């Protein structure tokens, strides 16, 4: 068998790779993109959300999550839980019904689609005859009542979805039971609402859009009561005792109707237009909740005056003399009220209102005075301001973690202390093995700190950089206050705010040192802020420094945006990360790279014009280096400038065409016939085969011209203590890689601690490397004498890493878009390389060093490179020999924003945006896996409709 093995095939290594590497997409963090439907089960205490792409997600207690996806990818229009069952029904916009169940499978519980059904009418009937508009799961758990546009109500058996034609409630049958003077004026088309009587399951309330409401007796198949209003009907709601129901209407009014024992035609007890007398928007949904003190809660969506507030998305809560119209910044999809579901309870006693808006979930505490919002433990609105960058930090020390939580708790004083009310199921996943932070930078100049340790991505703390600058927004403006005489009594709720006061505030780069507590953030207008963590509020002056990256070179004129204006004098900051120095790059272009060395107290920054080094202890600029090529005119226009040179664009286009023609002629002239090519390809020697493991034919990669735009764009910065001048003495160094394939290396002289404030940090350029094909440099890394990446600053001092091997020779790894190349140090001679573009046609987009541990033993782990390419696949490459270990497809190659947003963790996990509001979490490691694992109570119901007993089903996968 050995002769059939590929050269370089090692069975032991193959087994080890299976113990180290495994690809899984584990959980989706954030808020579902384009939600379209909401459902809630009081029995299971689970909430369901459907989306326009056909996804359905169930949520309960923190950590209890399930997800399913309809094969059709159609919009989910409605979600209804089957009473007292772990089942739910979804209605899609293609008029199909789908039955889902939480069932046990291989010792785990998962959300499964049981069956699907499409209601069909008789041959030749119009589509409206069976277009479903209302769904009522009956409390018997045996049938569904389906209201349609034609006014007919079909009865469907569960779980078979068999239509019970003999039980169909036709519009003609309804009109026969209605007096002639009503039937002549009203047609029974378009069923708006179906509601089961809360005390008598043999009666259902049918609401037609033209304001005809009928109470139908299911046993005798006849109408017992009819109610006629004067406005188009929107929705219905039964009061708890069944003596009255509420109807809401298109004109912004609602009416309360009594249900008497006799058959006389009832009149409404009251007809209220809450925000009249002027024309108002429709009230699309209403609740009437009884309480022990006698004053009901009346909660309704809409009803605002059309002329002045027609663009508002509101839900009003009225309780006695208290009235508040909660104003949402995005469209309200649906809402529900959590109240007492005990059959023996006399009152509803509502505790919380759950609102699904288009861009966020908002939960209001109805038990606490003032009705404050409840801080959600999941479904965070990640995109409350657009995400501009991400940064992950693994294994946060406990002290730093507690200080960040403490700072965040001071920001949450306006939230309710009520426990999370949607608490169905039990999270039985093991506690996270470590504390992880995910930091997101946003367009409005904020940085949000998320607890990324487990299944729930929970906001810990929000940092704002706005206070350092002068903007149009007033930082003291409070949008949540309600004036005493203001009418309607609007109160803004939620965190979603897509509008930035100034796009220059946007955060582009973040770097947090978890050992020292130093944080560096850089923005769109060339601003670099260095911060430190303070447990108390403080007022101080932020020191300013400017870094002129053009170094007064003539002939260059910045055409982009201006720098941000800073505040003069002391600025008051909240407890948390507080800036103490601001470095302003000139020109004020986007900061493209950032590095912080907290042990040396240095911060390096780069833009499209060059890079610089700043000593944040002495608050002094060490040096700047301009990387601009004379042809880099586009680099001077800035991302927010609309000015572009038409002549330059045309010139570049013709130049590319000319180059491609010349290279194609060279290929045609140099190529022989097919047999010669095959013979040439067959002459690979055995050593090359072992080295590259049957590499495919290499593609011709054209060298990039130095005149191509943005060659001076600084892509990466890296600090290292290594051998740069000679092999006997190591020294601190700074490395920079550009878009033009140039690597700069600077020797740094950092004074010892006792003279650190007295002597300046000095820098001197020691090396300059130009890659042959001028491919953009994505990452730079130094490997010690053992071939191990150098530890992070202060990592050795905290006994969390071995000291680097400074005896053997160091190696420099340069990762460009096209290849990975290892050089010896200090001579910088090429040692080995791995070509990616030439061999596979892909380009490197992201790369990081990840530690992979074996799932079989705790004694073995290794460092490898995780590489994401422009094709969306992830390759794991060994260090220091650059051998491809395994390749996984991860992101669609068309998803450019998803690839650009990807961030790896130190232990083989990653995150990328699958929509503006959602992160997909994935794992490359067999050992580090974060996924839902939960228990949901499954009821067994006897024939008398009482719960007989409960069993628990465990969910390990959480996904269908």
């Amino acid at each position: 068998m050995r002769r059939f093995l590929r050269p370089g095939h090692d069975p032991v290594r193959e087994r080890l790779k299976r113990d180290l590497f495994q690809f899984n997409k584990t959980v989706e963090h954030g808020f579902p993109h384009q939600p379209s439907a909401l459902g809630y089960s009081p029995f299971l205490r689970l909430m369901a959300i459907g989306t326009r792409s056909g996804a359905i997600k169930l949520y309960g207690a923190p950590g209890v999550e399930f997800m399913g996806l309809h094969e059709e990818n159609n919009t989910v229009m409605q979600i209804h839980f089957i009473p007292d069952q772990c089942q739910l029904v979804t209605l899609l916009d293609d008029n199909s019904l789908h039955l889902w169940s939480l069932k046990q499978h291989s010792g785990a519980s998962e959300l499964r689609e049981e069956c699907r059904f499409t209601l069909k009418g008789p041959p030749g009937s119009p589509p409206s005859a069976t277009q479903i508009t209302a769904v009522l799961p009956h409390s018997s758990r045996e049938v569904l009542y389906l209201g349609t546009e034609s006014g007919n109500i079909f009865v469907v058996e569960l779980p078979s979805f068999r239509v019970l034609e003999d039980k169909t409630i036709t519009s003609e049958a309804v009109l026969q039971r209605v007096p002639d003077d009503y039937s002549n004026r009203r047609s029974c088309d378009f069923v708006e609402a179906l509601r089961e009587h809360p005390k008598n399951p043999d009666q259902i309330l049918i609401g037609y859009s033209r304001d005809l409401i009928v109470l139908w007796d299911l046993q005798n198949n006849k109408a017992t009561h009819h109610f006629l209003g004067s406005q188009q009907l929107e929705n219905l709601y039964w009061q708890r005792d069944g003596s009255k129901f509420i109807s809401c209407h298109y004109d912004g009014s609602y009416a309360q109707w009594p249900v008497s024992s006799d058959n006389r035609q009832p009149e409404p007890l009251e007809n209220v237009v809450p925000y009249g007398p002027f024309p108002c928007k429709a009230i699309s949904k209403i609740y009437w909740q009884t309480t022990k003190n006698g004053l009901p809660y009346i909660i309704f969506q809409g009803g605002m005056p059309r002329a002045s507030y027609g663009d508002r998305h509101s839900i009003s809560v009225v309780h006695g003399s208290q009235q508040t119209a909660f104003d949402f910044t995005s469209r309200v999809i649906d809402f529900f009220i959590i109240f007492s579901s005990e059959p023996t309870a006399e009152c509803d006693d509502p505790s919380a209102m759950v609102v699904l808006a288009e861009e966020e979930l908002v939960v209001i505490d109805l038990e606490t005075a003032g009705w404050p919002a409840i801080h959600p433990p999941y479904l965070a609105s990640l995109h409350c301001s657009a995400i501009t960058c991400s940064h992950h930090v693994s294994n946060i020390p406990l002290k730093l973690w507690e200080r960040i939580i403490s700072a965040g708790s001071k920001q949450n004083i306006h939230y309710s202390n009520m426990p999370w009310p949607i608490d169905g199921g039990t999270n039985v996943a093991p506690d996270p093995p470590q504390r992880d932070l995910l930091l997101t930078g946003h367009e409005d100049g904020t940085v949000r700190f998320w607890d990324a340790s487990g299944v729930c991505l929970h906001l810990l703390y929000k940092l704002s950089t706005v206070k350092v600058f002068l903007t149009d927004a007033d930082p003291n403006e409070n949008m949540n206050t309600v004036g005493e005489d203001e009418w309607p009594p609007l109160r803004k709720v939620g965190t979603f705010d897509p509008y930035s006061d100034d796009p220059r505030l946007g955060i582009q780069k973040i770097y947090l040192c978890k050992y020292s507590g130093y944080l560096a953030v850089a923005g769109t207008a060339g601003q670099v802020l260095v911060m430190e963590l303070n447990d108390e509020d403080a007022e101080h002056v932020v020191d300013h420094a400017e870094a002129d990256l053009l170094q007064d070179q003539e002939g260059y004129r910045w055409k982009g945006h201006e720098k941000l204006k800073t505040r003069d004098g002391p600025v008051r900051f909240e407890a948390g990360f507080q800036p103490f120095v601001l470095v302003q790059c000139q020109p004020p272009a986007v900061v493209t790279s950032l590095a912080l060395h907290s042990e040396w107290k240095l911060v390096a920054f780069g833009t499209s014009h060059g890079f610089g080094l700043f000593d944040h202890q002495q608050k002094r600029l060490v040096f700047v280096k301009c990387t601009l090529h004379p042809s880099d005119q586009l680099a001077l226009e800035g991302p927010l400038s609309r000015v572009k040179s038409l002549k330059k664009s045309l010139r570049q286009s013709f130049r590319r065409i000319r180059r491609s023609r010349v290279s194609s002629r060279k290929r045609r002239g140099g190529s022989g016939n097919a047999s010669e090519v095959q013979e040439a390809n067959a002459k690979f020697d055995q050593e090359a085969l072992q080295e590259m493991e049957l590499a495919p034919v290499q593609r011709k990669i054209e060298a990039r011209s130095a005149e191509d735009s943005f060659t001076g764009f600084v892509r990466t910065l890296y600090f290292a203590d290594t051998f740069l001048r000679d092999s006997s003495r190591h020294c601190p160094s700074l490395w920079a890689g550009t878009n033009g394939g140039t690597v700069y290396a600077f020797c740094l002289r950092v004074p010892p601690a006792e003279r650190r404030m007295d002597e300046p940090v000095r820098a001197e350029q020691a090396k300059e490397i130009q890659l042959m094909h001028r491919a953009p440099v994505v990452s730079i890394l130094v490997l010690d004498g053992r071939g191990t990446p150098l530890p992070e600053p202060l990592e050795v001092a905290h006994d969390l890493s071995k000291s680097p091997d400074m005896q053997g020779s160091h190696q420099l790894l340069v990762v460009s878009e096209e290849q990975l190349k290892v050089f010896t140090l200090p001579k910088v001679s090429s040692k080995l390389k791995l070509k990616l573009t030439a061999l596979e046609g892909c380009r490197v987009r992201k790369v990081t060093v990840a530690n992979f541990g074996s799932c079989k033993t705790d004694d073995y782990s290794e460092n490898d490179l995780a590489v994401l390419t422009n094709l969306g696949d992830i390759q794991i490459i060994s260090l220091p020999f650059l051998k491809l270990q395994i390749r996984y497809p991860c992101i669609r190659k068309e998803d450019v924003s998803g690839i650009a947003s990807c961030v790896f963790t130190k232990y083989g996990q990653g995150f990328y945006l699958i929509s503006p509001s959602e992160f997909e979490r994935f794992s490359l490691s067999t050992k580090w896996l974060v996924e839902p694992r939960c228990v949901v109570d499954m009821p067994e119901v006897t024939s008398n409709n009482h719960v007989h007993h409960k069993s628990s089903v465990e969910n390990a996968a959480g996904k269908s």
Side-chain angles (χ1 to χ4, degrees):
M1 290 294 291
R2 289 187 180 179
R3 61 178 177 170
F4 294 105
L5 293 175
R6 288 185 319 209
H9 183 82
D10 182 358
V12 176
R13 179 62 188 172
E14 291 302 313
R15 283 197 298 270
L16 182 58
K17 287 198 294 189
R18 287 194 292 270
D19 295 341
L20 293 172
F21 312 123
Q22 183 180 8
F23 179 74
N24 289 286
K25 291 186 178 180
T26 55
V27 68
E28 293 176 3
H29 297 301
F31 186 77
H33 185 50
Q34 295 181 327
S36 55
L38 177 68
Y40 178 67
S41 169
F43 174 70
L44 298 174
R45 297 185 73 83
L46 293 179
M47 171 180 66
I49 295 176
T51 71
R52 287 195 213 170
S53 60
I56 179 170
K57 302 184 179 185
L58 270 62
Y59 300 92
V64 177
E65 296 185 14
F66 298 91
M67 178 182 169
L69 185 65
H70 295 88
E71 289 182 6
E72 296 82 358
N73 290 341
N74 287 74
T75 300
V76 181
M77 302 298 292
Q78 296 183 35
I79 301 174
H80 299 274
F81 281 87
I82 308 300
D84 300 342
Q85 293 287 301
C86 283
Q87 290 183 315
L88 64 153
V89 172
T90 56
L91 171 66
L92 305 190
D93 64 350
D94 63 354
N95 207 42
S96 62
L97 286 165
H98 301 253
L99 179 65
W100 297 81
S101 297
L102 282 169
K103 280 198 169 182
Q104 187 171 4
H105 175 67
S106 300
S109 166
E110 58 186 29
L111 183 64
R112 277 190 182 178
E113 184 177 353
E114 297 291 323
C115 53
R116 65 192 67 187
F117 164 76
T118 301
L119 186 63
K120 295 180 181 178
S125 62
S128 62
T130 54
Q131 184 67 42
I132 300 171
T133 56
V135 179
L136 172 64
H138 195 262
S139 60
S140 66
R141 301 177 292 278
E142 296 174 354
V143 293
L144 286 177
Y145 290 89
L146 307 177
T148 62
E149 283 187 5
S150 64
N152 296 329
I153 298 167
F154 296 90
V155 185
V156 177
E157 191 177 51
L158 287 176
S160 63
F161 278 135
R162 182 172 65 92
V163 179
L164 305 178
E165 296 183 1
D166 58 324
K167 294 189 176 182
T168 301
I169 305 171
T170 64
S171 56
E172 292 79 8
V174 171
L175 287 174
Q176 287 175 4
R177 302 294 193 272
V178 176
D180 292 341
D181 56 336
Y182 298 144
S183 59
N184 292 338
R185 288 186 289 162
R186 294 287 185 270
S187 61
C188 294
D189 57 354
F190 207 103
V191 178
E192 286 283 1
L194 292 170
R195 298 286 181 263
E196 182 180 337
H197 194 290
K199 298 297 183 183
N200 185 358
D202 292 331
Q203 290 184 338
I204 61 171
L205 198 61
I206 307 170
Y208 298 93
S209 68
R210 298 204 176 180
D211 217 13
L212 174 63
I213 305 168
V214 173
L215 186 62
W216 190 263
D217 186 339
L218 299 174
Q219 289 287 350
N220 301 312
N221 203 29
K222 68 174 185 178
T224 60
H225 296 73
H226 49 269
F227 311 85
L228 190 65
S230 58
Q231 291 293 333
Q232 180 178 320
L233 180 72
E234 290 288 323
N235 220 321
L236 297 169
Y237 186 78
W238 277 107
Q239 290 191 20
R240 189 179 187 92
D241 60 1
S243 63
K244 306 181 191 71
F245 69 87
I246 314 298
S247 63
C248 54
H249 304 271
Y250 181 77
D251 67 341
S253 66
Y254 67 84
Q256 188 178 21
W257 302 82
V259 180
S260 58
S261 56
D262 55 15
N263 290 336
R264 61 183 177 82
Q265 187 234 331
E267 294 290 335
L269 294 176
E270 59 175 342
N271 198 323
V272 180
V273 184
Y275 296 113
F278 302 106
C280 295
K281 291 176 65 178
I283 294 179
S284 56
K285 189 171 183 178
I286 192 165
Y287 281 84
W288 185 290
Q289 301 277 279
T290 57
T291 61
K292 292 185 179 69
N293 64 9
L295 291 173
Y297 277 86
I298 306 168
I299 304 169
F300 55 89
Q301 177 184 346
M304 285 281 132
R306 287 186 180 275
S308 303
Y309 301 94
D311 59 341
R312 299 298 182 100
H313 314 288
S314 68
I315 295 178
S316 298
V317 180
V318 182
H319 180 58
S321 60
Q322 302 176 61
Q323 181 166 345
T324 298
F326 293 100
D327 185 16
F328 301 87
T329 54
S330 59
R331 184 171 62 93
V332 174
I333 304 297
D334 201 354
F335 76 101
F336 62 83
I337 305 299
I338 297 176
F339 56 90
S340 174
S341 57
E342 291 293 328
T344 57
E346 296 181 357
C347 300
D348 296 308
D349 289 326
S351 58
M353 176 174 71
V354 180
V355 183
L356 176 66
E358 200 166 35
E359 305 292 353
E360 62 184 329
L361 184 81
V362 178
V363 182
I364 303 297
D365 176 3
L366 297 177
E367 293 182 340
T368 304
W371 300 331
I374 303 172
H375 196 59
Y378 47 71
L379 286 173
S381 181
L382 300 175
H383 65 315
C384 45
S385 174
I387 294 176
T388 48
C389 66
S390 303
H391 176 66
H392 188 275
V393 188
S394 299
N395 209 4
I396 302 292
L398 178 59
K399 186 175 181 181
L400 176 64
W401 185 264
E402 291 174 342
R403 294 178 70 189
I404 292 173
I405 291 177
S406 174
S409 64
K410 295 176 183 177
Q411 296 177 336
N412 294 334
I413 57 174
H414 300 297
Y415 283 100
S416 167
N417 293 322
M418 172 189 278
W420 183 243
I422 304 168
D423 55 2
T426 306
N427 177 21
V428 295
D431 292 333
Q434 60 185 32
R435 295 168 293 273
D436 289 354
L437 274 180
L438 179 66
L439 281 69
T440 54
H442 297 264
E443 191 181 45
D444 62 354
T446 59
V447 178
R448 285 169 168 80
F449 290 64
W450 305 92
D451 177 1
S453 313
V455 172
C456 295
L457 194 69
H458 182 61
L459 182 64
L460 298 178
Y461 165 68
K462 185 180 84 169
L463 162 70
S464 177
T465 62
V466 178
K467 285 188 175 181
V468 180
F469 307 102
L470 288 170
T471 63
D472 295 334
D474 182 2
N476 297 318
E477 185 178 9
N478 189 352
M479 298 291 290
N480 289 337
T481 55
V482 180
E484 292 182 5
D485 300 325
E486 184 181 349
W487 189 261
L490 289 164
R491 189 174 107 198
K492 185 179 173 67
V493 288
T495 59
F496 179 72
D497 184 9
Y499 307 107
S500 172
D501 298 310
D502 193 328
R504 296 175 297 172
L505 290 167
I507 304 297
Q508 298 296 331
K509 295 291 174 182
I510 306 170
Y511 195 104
L512 171 66
C513 175
K514 61 185 178 183
Y515 304 111
S516 64
Y518 282 115
L519 172 70
V521 297
T524 303
Q527 70 270 32
V528 180
L529 285 163
V530 186
M531 313 184 188
E532 58 184 344
L533 192 54
N534 191 343
D535 298 327
E536 302 295 335
D537 295 2
E539 187 173 357
H540 60 259
V541 175
V542 178
D543 291 296
H544 296 177
E546 284 210 353
D548 182 9
L549 297 175
L550 294 182
Q551 297 175 303
D552 300 324
Q553 295 191 33
E554 296 182 0
Y556 291 104
R557 186 170 62 87
W558 172 247
K559 302 175 186 176
H561 51 264
E562 296 180 353
K563 68 176 184 178
L564 286 160
K565 295 179 180 178
T566 56
R567 295 182 182 272
D568 296 327
V571 181
R572 184 162 188 81
F573 297 101
E574 298 174 342
F577 286 94
Q578 300 173 351
F580 62 89
V581 68
L582 164 67
V583 183
Q584 178 63 57
C585 299
Q586 288 288 9
V590 174
V591 177
T592 57
S593 55
L594 185 68
L596 177 72
H597 201 293
S598 48
E599 189 173 358
W600 301 338
K601 304 292 194 297
L602 299 175
V603 60
F605 48 89
T607 71
S608 53
H609 307 122
F611 60 96
L613 181 66
F614 186 81
D615 178 354
H616 66 75
Q617 184 166 1
Q618 291 189 9
K619 298 175 183 175
R620 171 184 165 273
L621 188 66
V622 179
F623 78 91
V624 291
K625 170 72 175 178
C626 181
T627 56
L628 268 184
H629 188 273
S631 67
D632 276 351
Q633 290 299 319
L634 282 179
L636 292 168
E637 293 184 357
L640 304 180
S641 172
R642 297 175 181 266
V643 183
K644 288 197 175 182
S645 170
L646 179 60
K647 288 183 180 179
K648 184 168 180 63
S649 299
L650 290 172
R651 189 164 61 248
Q652 287 179 332
S653 301
F654 283 120
R655 189 176 293 143
R656 290 192 191 97
I657 294 170
R658 193 161 55 245
R659 272 206 303 268
S660 64
R661 285 175 177 170
V662 170
S663 61
S664 63
R665 281 200 297 270
K666 286 181 180 177
R667 285 195 294 273
R668 285 198 297 271
S671 62
N673 56 36
S675 62
E676 290 175 351
V677 174
Q678 289 174 358
E679 288 177 13
N681 289 341
K683 289 181 179 179
F684 283 114
D685 57 41
Q686 190 66 21
E687 291 181 7
L689 281 173
Q690 290 178 351
E691 186 70 20
M692 299 306 299
E693 293 193 8
L694 295 177
V697 178
Q698 295 189 16
R699 292 166 173 80
K700 174 68 175 176
I701 304 299
E702 295 181 13
R704 307 180 190 214
S705 168
E707 296 179 3
D708 285 348
S709 295
F710 290 111
T711 56
F713 185 115
V714 180
R715 292 283 291 267
T716 183
L717 292 163
Y718 178 69
F719 286 107
D721 187 358
T722 187
F723 300 94
L724 195 53
R725 292 194 179 277
D726 56 59
S727 56
S728 60
R729 289 178 299 173
H730 57 89
C731 67
S733 62
L734 172 66
W735 301 76
T738 72
N739 218 41
T742 307
V743 177
Y744 299 96
F746 281 76
C747 277
L748 306 178
R749 183 188 172 278
V750 181
E754 61 272 14
R755 300 196 303 275
R756 183 64 179 81
M757 289 300 294
D758 302 325
E759 299 178 12
V761 175
R762 302 192 183 278
E764 182 180 356
Q765 184 169 338
K767 306 284 183 187
E768 182 174 334
I769 308 166
Q770 180 62 61
L771 301 182
M772 185 184 300
H773 291 304
R774 301 182 183 274
V777 178
V778 179
S779 181
I780 298 171
L781 192 66
V782 172
L783 309 176
D784 68 7
R786 293 186 292 263
T788 304
L790 295 182
E792 296 178 14
L794 297 174
E795 192 173 10
V796 175
H798 284 75
D799 296 327
L800 295 173
S801 175
K802 293 181 181 178
S803 297
D805 182 357
M806 308 303 281
Q807 304 301 319
S809 59
H810 284 197
Q811 301 172 83
L812 172 69
L813 172 62
V814 177
V815 181
S816 73
E817 282 191 358
E818 297 177 3
Q819 65 183 12
L820 291 75
K821 197 164 186 178
V822 174
F823 300 88
T824 61
L825 286 177
K827 291 185 178 180
V828 194
S829 57
S830 179
K831 186 175 181 181
L832 72 149
K833 62 184 174 183
L834 174 63
K835 296 180 179 179
L836 292 179
T837 306
L839 298 177
E840 302 173 16
C842 60
R843 294 184 182 275
V844 177
R845 287 291 178 258
K846 304 274 183 175
V847 62
T848 195
V849 176
N851 182 268
F852 292 91
S854 170
C855 62
K856 297 289 181 64
T857 175
D858 293 333
D859 299 332
Y860 183 81
S861 66
E862 65 180 42
N863 291 310
D864 297 287
L865 286 178
V867 177
L868 174 69
T869 72
N870 66 323
L871 302 180
D873 60 352
I874 293 176
Q875 303 184 18
I876 298 177
I877 297 169
S878 67
L879 286 175
F881 301 111
L882 302 187
K883 295 286 187 180
L884 177 62
Q885 301 300 298
I886 202 161
R887 180 190 293 108
Y888 298 112
C890 180
I891 311 172
R892 291 181 302 107
K893 64 180 179 181
E894 298 84 9
D895 187 3
V896 179
S897 60
I899 293 172
S901 65
C902 183
V903 56
F904 289 107
T905 77
K906 193 177 178 181
Y907 294 98
Q909 296 187 66
F911 303 81
Y912 68 93
L913 288 172
I914 54 175
S915 73
S917 59
E918 288 174 291
F919 274 114
E920 176 82 66
R921 187 180 191 134
F922 62 88
S923 175
L924 305 168
S925 169
T926 58
K927 189 173 183 179
W928 300 92
L929 201 64
V930 174
E931 59 182 357
R933 185 176 179 83
C934 46
V935 170
V936 174
D937 290 330
M938 304 284 286
E940 291 188 7
V941 183
T942 59
S943 57
N944 60 359
N945 294 346
H946 292 293
V947 176
H948 184 59
H949 70 274
K950 295 180 181 180
S951 62
S952 292
V953 177
E954 190 171 296
N955 167 39
K959 283 191 176 185
S960 61

